[in-house]
Amino acid sequence: MIGITTYIYPFALYGQQPSTAGQGHLGKSAISGKVMNEKRREPVIYASVIIKDSAGKTIVASLTDQNGYFKIDSLPPANYVLEIIYMGYQPYTQPLTVTGITAKLELGTLPMKEGTVSLNEVVVAGEKSDLELRPDKKVYLIGKDILSQGGSAGDILNGIPSVAVEPGGAVRLRGNSNVTVLINGRRSGLTSGNVMTQIPAASIAKIEIITSPSARYDAAGSAGIINIVLKKNIKEGLSGQARLVLGVPNDYNLNANLNYKTGKLNLFATLGGRYSDYVGLYTTKQTTTGIAAASLSKVQHENRHDDGRLVYFGGDYFINPRNTFTLAFFRNATKDIDGTTLDYDFGSTGIDSGITRKGRSREVRSYNQLESNYTRTFDKEGKKFTIDLQYDFWNSNKTWDLSTRKTFPVVTDLYPIRTVAIGASKDLVVQSDIVNPFKNKSMLESGIKGENRSVSSYFRAEQRPDKDWVTFDNIDNKLHYNERIWSAYAQYRSKAGGFNYLLGLRYEWTQIGIRDKGGIFNKEKYYGRIFPTINLSYAMGKGSTLQMSYAKRINRPELWYLYPFNELTDFNTQFVGNPDLNPSYTNVIELALLRQWDKFTFNPTVYAHFTTAPIEQYTYHNDKGTFITMPFNLDKENRYGVELSAIYDPVEWLNLNGQLGVYGFRQKGYYKETDFDFTNTSWNGRINIRVKLPWRSAFQARYDLQGPGNNAQRHTSAYHYLSSGLSKNVLNDKGTLTLDGTNVLNSRKIRSVVTGENYIIDQTDNFNAARFRLSFSYKFTGKEGQVFRSRKEGNRD
């Protein structure tokens, strides 16, 4: 029995580039081929393709794609040995000779025989850089991150440079929350709020950061797109992984991923459940000046409890080698029970009165998604046609029970209040794409898409002054929101030497309707725009790539920004939506360099965003003494920034990486007698260290820093936090034990000061205290990258 181990980062086409020493002016060549199962004539996908020199040293390594194809560029003239390895098959070897006049070497179909060879001890590709720069994206490969092994997609994203996940689940990219998060190139309920905690980190293959998206992507999201790519199952028979997490405060997660593949059928299922508690502490000091000078001190204790149950199952049916049909269903059901206690102390010269408000809420949500995909490939390599259909439907029901008591100077119970919010949505998406390659290494992509979304939201508040409940403050309304988006795109990709370019145009027509039963907020809006994209990259010799891009983007207001309803948990400060909001448009320009040495990777980036009608928040004091925060459209905003990212592997057992970003903006606008002209500069940074330890264990620590931020009304202070973890492989590497902690110093406290014409609000938010988790994961199969199901990506690469 031969023992060989393959250490490969899935989807990473990294490897040591062939040396050109002594080759003089001779040109480099490319080789390509297709790997097939000799008996069944099916493609062997994600097989390891290795090029070795005459001494047996690995020169470059790659993987076959979903159709069994592979391509390796830039081989200088020499004699080589081609080796193809895949678990369950006998290794395939073939000598190669590349001459100075060879431009393209097509090997045709390469048959592999099934066998029982065990792969145990040969390194195919070492632990190279975790970063890959493509013409339209940055790709971060997920492999050895200890802090996320026992965690979720949110933990993974928090470890990506320029990305931050807030405690409530909101994702920011370069400090901008207007970012679109996708799963395998598709919008999904898995990316909303805290639902990402249900995606096990171990099921993620890579994260794509697309700050200047090409025309194939929806134009929404001025900050860009984050695409979470899940691992694919490629192994015959039954495989899977189970994961158990125990945490403090209460954080219990159990997930199982199962896959069964045989013949023409591939069945998959993901089951998950979580039980989590969160503790928050918020303190506020408020001062009102003028004739009615007063002060307020407020302390809010928050205890949140989340339950979640996730089911995702379906199957791929391989009709024949050229046609595949996929059908899947996803359901995520959650139940949140939150409790808050707010203590208010009012006064002018001292404490004149005190109030305590206690609230308890219960929210039940159900998100469902039905998806299907048809994929057709052709004899022409790379040509592909897809049709996707996705139907989402969800509903939610949230109730608040609020009791208020005056505690000083005389204890008095005030009238209780209760609220109910009921929401539902239906969303149908139909999309078709085609990819058509040409012989000159060019490719034309095009597609059409239609989406119809219908959302309803009902909100009612009641007060009980005596025996009966009556409507409170006239809050009893139902809002209907309808959105239709029709789009089409075309883009052309080509390559000339080391120069790659991708040019595209996308057109989107949007129709939005808002109406309510009271007839107060009825609105209809129509707008269509062309969104051009330009993505350029140039390979400047060995290990250096320069990238430049331009894209026009749109930011449609989020639904909760449009809802004119406000929760009444805190009667002192409230958020109210604005149905009059308009979309904003952004021109994005970016220049990036990726420079790689043997042990060091450096990635500086310069960018600028020019936005018309950006959405900002305005806080004012109404005639009832309540501070209301609502969104509105500014005139314009210019953002600019510089990012520096570096990865350093000085020795085999140590990995260091860090990121520093400096960014600023200039806003112009005037709203409700407030001048919002403002300029500000801030920064953020991250340091990460990963150390391999004896006994198949490892340690990792990450330190995050966020600089201060300002706008015309708000100043946010700098903050920092530390995360660390320790992992150990057990049970012949089929199991992994991980102990990790986030915000271990409990220092992630965000202080903000809002200043108005006659008031100052000083608030410190501590959303989550320190959290610690112990997790255990067990793989049914020992080959990472062959366990998890990835939904069909269509033409998304």
Side-chain angles (χ1 to χ4, degrees), residues 374-392:
Y374 168 72
T375 299
R376 159 77 173 170
T377 59
F378 300 85
D379 292 335
K380 178 192 263 188
E381 180 181 351
K383 185 175 182 180
K384 181 166 60 174
F385 171 74
T386 61
I387 299 176
D388 292 275
L389 186 147
Q390 181 174 304
Y391 178 59
D392 301 347

Side-chain angles (χ1 to χ4, degrees), residues 356-373:
T356 294
R357 165 168 282 187
K358 293 185 177 181
R360 183 174 178 84
S361 74
R362 177 186 175 92
E363 182 174 14
V364 179
R365 295 187 300 267
S366 174
Y367 180 91
N368 306 272
Q369 185 177 88
L370 181 66
E371 59 184 45
S372 64
N373 167 272

Side-chain angles (χ1 to χ4, degrees), residues 377-491:
T377 59
F378 300 85
D379 292 335
K380 178 192 263 188
E381 180 181 351
K383 185 175 182 180
K384 181 166 60 174
F385 171 74
T386 61
I387 299 176
D388 292 275
L389 186 147
Q390 181 174 304
Y391 178 59
D392 301 347
F393 55 101
W394 61 261
N395 56 74
S396 67
N397 188 314
K398 183 174 184 178
T399 60
W400 269 103
D401 292 304
L402 304 167
S403 63
T404 308
R405 168 175 288 189
K406 192 170 184 179
T407 58
F408 184 81
V410 179
V411 176
T412 308
D413 287 333
L414 305 180
Y415 298 149
I417 294 175
R418 68 183 185 185
T419 67
V420 60
I422 301 174
S425 174
K426 297 178 181 179
D427 190 1
L428 177 64
V429 180
V430 181
Q431 179 173 344
S432 180
D433 303 87
I434 187 167
V435 178
N436 192 17
F438 302 105
K439 291 184 178 180
N440 62 348
K441 300 182 181 180
S442 301
M443 182 178 294
L444 178 65
E445 302 176 53
S446 59
I448 57 175
K449 179 181 180 181
E451 179 176 4
N452 184 74
R453 188 181 189 191
S454 177
V455 185
S456 65
S457 178
Y458 172 64
F459 189 75
R460 183 181 74 247
E462 295 177 313
Q463 187 180 57
R464 193 178 64 188
D466 45 44
K467 294 182 180 180
D468 299 321
W469 291 92
V470 297
T471 301
F472 175 74
D473 205 19
N474 295 318
I475 300 175
D476 185 0
N477 208 343
K478 186 174 184 178
L479 192 76
H480 295 274
Y481 175 86
N482 293 281
E483 178 183 84
R484 294 184 178 91
I485 303 176
W486 305 95
S487 58
Y489 79 92
Q491 63 181 25

Side-chain angles (χ1 to χ4, degrees), residues 265-323:
L265 190 62
N266 180 43
L267 301 176
F268 49 87
T270 298
L271 307 173
R274 64 182 173 90
Y275 179 101
S276 303
D277 289 332
Y278 303 88
V279 179
L281 176 63
Y282 312 86
T283 58
T284 302
K285 293 182 179 179
Q286 172 188 306
T287 304
T288 304
T289 59
I291 298 177
S295 64
L296 164 66
S297 294
K298 180 180 68 176
V299 178
Q300 177 179 346
H301 295 271
E302 182 179 58
N303 293 284
R304 308 189 306 275
H305 172 76
D306 297 344
D307 285 343
R309 297 168 303 283
L310 180 148
V311 176
Y312 178 54
F313 64 90
D316 303 310
Y317 179 62
F318 304 97
I319 303 171
N320 54 48
R322 294 297 184 196
N323 295 271

Side-chain angles (χ1 to χ4, degrees), residues 19 48 51 59 78 83 99 148 227 234 271 278 285 309 346 357 372-373 379 396 473-474 483 516 564 569 613 672 791:
S19 172
S48 302
I51 302 295
I59 301 300
E83 183 175 4
T99 66
S148 58
N227 186 27
I234 58 176
L271 307 173
Y278 303 88
K285 293 182 179 179
R309 297 168 303 283
F346 299 90
R357 165 168 282 187
S372 64
N373 167 272
D379 292 335
S396 67
D473 205 19
N474 295 318
E483 178 183 84
D516 71 306
T569 310
K672 289 186 180 295
R791 294 185 288 170

Side-chain angles (χ1 to χ4, degrees), residues 116-182:
T116 59
V117 177
S118 172
L119 306 178
N120 274 334
E121 285 301 314
V122 171
V123 174
V124 170
E127 291 185 20
K128 300 300 288 184
S129 168
D130 295 340
L131 173 63
E132 179 181 352
L133 191 63
R134 297 188 184 177
D136 59 342
K137 69 187 73 172
K138 293 178 184 177
V139 181
Y140 293 89
L141 308 168
I142 308 304
K144 305 297 184 182
D145 193 339
I146 299 168
L147 299 181
S148 58
Q149 285 182 11
S152 64
D155 299 301
I156 288 279
L157 291 177
N158 257 330
I160 300 295
S162 307
V163 180
V165 181
E166 296 180 350
V171 180
R172 291 183 176 272
L173 179 60
R174 292 172 173 168
N176 191 341
S177 62
N178 185 24
V179 57
T180 300
V181 182
L182 306 175

Side-chain angles (χ1 to χ4, degrees), residues 50-69:
I50 311 151
I51 302 295
K52 298 182 177 181
D53 61 16
S54 56
K57 179 182 178 182
T58 297
I59 301 300
V60 68
S62 182
L63 299 175
T64 58
D65 63 15
Q66 291 181 327
N67 298 310
Y69 289 104

